[in-house]
Amino acid sequence: VTRSFRSNEEIYPGGDSARDWVFVVSGAARTCHYLSDGRRRILDFLLPGNCFGFGGHDIRHFAVEAILEPTVVCTFPRALVERAGADHRAMRESIHAMALESLTRAQSRIITLGRVTAPEKLLAFLVELSQRSIREDRTLVSLPMSRYDIADYLAISVETVSRAFATLKRCGLVHLTDSHHVHLAALSGVKPSEDESRSSAHEFALSMND
Amino acid sequence: VTRSFRSNEEIYPGGDSARDWVFVVSGAARTCHYLSDGRRRILDFLLPGNCFGFGGHDIRHFAVEAILEPTVVCTFPRALVERAGADHRAMRESIHAMALESLTRAQSRIITLGRVTAPEKLLAFLVELSQRSIREDRTLVSLPMSRYDIADYLAISVETVSRAFATLKRCGLVHLTDSHHVHLAALSGVKPSEDESRSSAHEFALSMND
DNA sequence: CGTAGTCTTGAGTATCCTCAACGAGGGTGG
DNA sequence: CCACCCTCGTTGAGGATACTCAAGACTACG
């Protein structure tokens, strides 16, 4: 089943009815968890090619919401996917690969959240987006999500996100053509190896005390 | 291959030689990532029954170290595990279940790291340990790891961990018989449902401003 | 043109980190 | 047996960072 969604529309309600797989075709989406006091945590951003649906029993607690307009997704009943996985080897391996990718991203995010300062977190986030991007030029990153989404993703406040952007600009690490298009100067001349860029980004971030 | 390790001994070096699966039989272990400046992040604690080895290419960056003495683990070459998974349906499903469990734990951890105050994080961590515990009485939690391990797990400093324990004690949410055995008073009379305990713990934690 | 939403910036406060010191427990050697 | 060293855990003081509250630009849209 293929459907299209508008901005901020709910693709997938968190709750017991959560029994489908979601595969993002185009646009972008966010995976949210709402705490009892109304605060929101964003677990992951789903870009074209990403999917959501494993995670065992706990997926009930997460809602999926569209970011861009339009966002096109395919949904499959869980039972169908699992049956296909049992029958076809290629399907099974594909599912396994996507699950591993989700796990890898989650682990990478734990590292990011563990970083100390807000500019560090933001820079790590931008680098992550750059690596997930399909663009050829990895120094140009487009941000489909709002500052509020970034804030809930990095577990910091909106104002801090804005200030962190200002800090990175002041240090010459990034340039913003507009609010949603970033040029990562930090990556220019740096090998695309993940650890390289991270540590160098980190080195830069360390020297950001005004 | 079954081996036994002493406290703080390296089970598994991070690096290119990381080609095995690790299955914890008894004791406890931690999964570490070392940043270029020497700081350490703990991605996960491995208790008996947990395993480590999926995660695709990124597992190279993580080291596994023993916490308790002795810690007994089984290691298998990756190729062997993957072949067994391809041949035997039961094995494959078991592997898939463990991968999903790792993913679920990672997602849960992202929620925990997103919590605002240190006592909130610590309480969420204790609740998580209580739910992973095999004990019948879930209000009694044993902490095999040191305060430094907890600090690196929650991405806060050791001193803050200690102060957070003091705050939780002062609010009557936990009691410590010794440094490594906690009684979770917050869970007494609370349904073991995950969301219930979390939100109630959170409610309590909110009212902790001295 | 007004309204709503987003993004940014400022001021004041609270939290956490760093540095430092101290006490408790375990192992070792005199 | 006790002094010594080492690690771990705790507590205090000072400073840096991020949050809250508040207000002001910018954009989109009716």
Side-chain angles (χ1 to χ4, degrees), chain A residues 76-206:
Chain A
F76 311 95
R78 287 178 71 76
L80 189 69
V81 175
E82 281 158 12
R83 188 140 33 85
D87 292 346
H88 304 289
R89 181 196 179 90
M91 186 71 187
R92 180 196 316 151
E93 284 172 357
S94 166
I95 291 174
H96 196 60
M98 286 190 293
L100 285 190
E101 190 196 335
S102 287
L103 181 57
T104 300
R105 257 212 317 281
Q107 288 174 341
S108 172
R109 227 155 106 39
I110 290 173
I111 304 285
T112 299
L113 283 177
R115 291 186 177 271
V116 184
T117 69
E120 269 184 318
K121 289 185 185 182
L122 180 60
L123 192 48
F125 169 67
L126 294 175
V127 171
E128 180 208 327
L129 269 191
S130 144
Q131 289 167 346
R132 287 173 68 179
S133 160
I134 321 166
R135 280 171 193 275
E136 200 164 304
D137 184 356
R138 304 223 155 208
T139 66
L140 291 178
V141 180
S142 74
L143 304 171
M145 67 291 293
S146 74
R147 297 285 191 262
Y148 289 88
D149 288 335
I150 299 176
D152 287 340
Y153 186 78
L154 296 177
I156 56 184
S157 68
V158 199
E159 297 92 334
T160 303
V161 172
S162 195
R163 281 184 250 268
F165 267 115
T167 304
L168 293 180
K169 272 191 292 186
R170 187 157 13 93
C171 297
L173 290 172
V174 305
H175 303 285
L176 274 72
T177 60
D178 70 61
S179 290
H180 294 279
H181 292 88
V182 182
H183 173 73
L184 275 179
L187 287 188
S188 310
V190 173
K191 301 191 202 86
S193 151
E194 189 175 342
D195 249 333
E196 279 295 314
S197 60
R198 269 197 196 151
S199 61
S200 91
H202 176 239
E203 294 298 325
F204 278 85
L206 273 184

Side-chain angles (χ1 to χ4, degrees), chain B:
Chain B
V1 180
T2 302
R3 278 185 298 172
S4 180
F5 293 89
R6 284 176 302 176
S7 186
N8 290 320
E9 197 175 356
E10 189 176 60
I11 296 176
Y12 196 74
D16 290 325
S17 59
R19 289 278 164 253
D20 290 342
W21 277 49
V22 177
F23 186 85
V24 176
V25 176
S26 70
R30 55 180 178 248
T31 313
C32 307
H33 177 80
Y34 290 94
L35 299 177
S36 51
D37 60 354
R39 287 186 299 183
R40 183 184 69 167
R41 296 262 58 84
I42 292 186
L43 268 95
D44 201 4
F45 290 115
L46 302 177
L47 302 182
N50 297 138
C51 70
F52 173 82
F54 6 75
H57 46 289
D58 263 5
I59 61 161
R60 299 188 300 105
H61 301 142
F62 304 126
V64 181
E65 298 164 1
I67 293 177
L68 285 180
E69 183 163 344
T71 294
V72 179
V73 305
C74 293
T75 58
F76 310 95
R78 287 180 69 80
L80 190 69
V81 174
E82 280 159 12
R83 187 138 35 85
D87 293 345
H88 305 289
R89 181 196 180 91
M91 186 70 187
R92 181 197 315 151
E93 285 171 355
S94 167
I95 291 173
H96 195 59
M98 287 189 293
L100 286 189
E101 190 196 336
S102 287
L103 181 58
T104 300
R105 256 211 318 281
Q107 289 174 339
S108 172
R109 226 153 108 42
I110 290 173
I111 304 286
T112 299
L113 283 177
R115 292 183 177 274
V116 185
T117 69
E120 270 184 317
K121 289 186 185 180
L122 180 60
L123 193 49
F125 168 67
L126 294 176
V127 171
E128 180 208 327
L129 269 191
S130 144
Q131 289 168 347
R132 287 174 67 180
S133 159
I134 322 165
R135 280 171 193 275
E136 201 163 304
D137 184 356
R138 304 222 157 210
T139 66
L140 290 179
V141 180
S142 73
L143 305 171
M145 68 289 294
S146 74
R147 297 286 192 260
Y148 290 87
D149 289 335
I150 299 177
D152 287 340
Y153 186 78
L154 296 177
I156 55 183
S157 69
V158 200
E159 297 91 334
T160 303
V161 172
S162 196
R163 282 184 248 268
F165 267 115
T167 304
L168 294 180
K169 273 190 291 185
R170 189 158 10 95
C171 297
L173 290 173
V174 304
H175 303 284
L176 275 71
T177 59
D178 70 63
S179 291
H180 295 278
H181 292 88
V182 182
H183 173 71
L184 275 179
L187 287 188
S188 310
V190 172
K191 302 191 203 85
S193 151
E194 189 176 343
D195 250 334
E196 280 295 315
S197 62
R198 270 199 195 149
S199 60
S200 92
H202 176 239
E203 294 298 325
F204 277 86
L206 273 184
S207 57
M208 284 193 299
N209 308 329
D210 274 344

